[in-house]
């Protein structure tokens, strides 16, 4: 019984996009960005749900200003994951990483 519960837990803890062939592994900021853009494009630009993990990883792990900006934009404009405080956090990180477009939004 414990093994069944463990297996169920492991399956449920894997992000759904991992089953779609994405996974959240990326080995550079550009790789994360490319995978995030591909995930976003596969929803025809309607949802950041699958892309946000890549953008956050590009930002947090590789200090990518573009990744931070894209994560912030997702949190700002995608109603399914909207979170204004996270948006501001990522706009601030993007600005600090010299992505000038983000500085305008961070200061608002």
């Amino acid at each position: 019984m414990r093994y069944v519960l463990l297996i169920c837990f492991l399956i449920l803890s894997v992000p759904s996009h991992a089953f779609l062939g994405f996974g959240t592994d990326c080995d550079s900021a550009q790789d994360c960005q490319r995978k995030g853009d591909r995930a976003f494009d596969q929803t025809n630009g309607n949802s950041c749900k699958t892309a946000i993990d890549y953008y956050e990883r590009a930002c947090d792990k590789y200090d990518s200003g573009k990744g931070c900006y894209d994560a912030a934009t997702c949190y700002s404009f995608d109603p399914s994951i909207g979170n204004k405080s996270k948006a501001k956090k990522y706009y601030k990180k993007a600005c600090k990483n010299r992505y000038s477009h983000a500085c305008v939004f961070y200061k608002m």
Side-chain angles (χ1 to χ4, degrees):
M1 181 66 172
R2 279 192 261 184
Y3 294 114
V4 172
L5 291 174
L6 178 62
I7 291 170
C8 289
F9 173 76
L10 291 174
I11 290 172
L12 293 175
S13 66
V14 174
S16 61
H17 53 79
F19 293 113
L20 299 175
F22 293 110
T24 54
D25 268 354
C26 40
D27 46 8
S28 69
Q30 295 81 11
D31 187 35
C32 291
Q33 190 69 42
R34 186 176 49 254
K35 287 179 178 181
D37 291 343
R38 188 174 69 209
F40 183 72
D41 289 345
Q42 287 193 344
T43 66
N44 295 318
N46 292 320
S47 176
C48 289
K49 279 185 178 183
T50 56
I52 193 72
D53 293 336
Y54 295 111
Y55 295 148
E56 286 180 339
R57 178 169 275 187
C59 177
D60 296 334
K61 185 173 182 182
Y62 299 107
D63 294 322
S64 165
K66 173 88 167 104
C68 296
Y69 180 78
D70 287 344
T73 302
C74 284
Y75 282 122
S76 290
F77 298 108
D78 187 333
S80 67
I81 60 168
N83 185 321
K84 297 297 179 190
S85 64
K86 281 191 175 185
K88 188 168 184 166
K89 169 189 160 186
Y90 282 107
Y91 280 133
K92 181 179 180 180
K93 286 180 88 169
C95 185
K96 285 184 177 184
N97 285 319
R98 298 185 179 160
Y99 198 79
S100 61
H101 295 25
C103 299
V104 174
F105 293 104
Y106 166 62
K107 294 179 182 188
M108 291 176 80

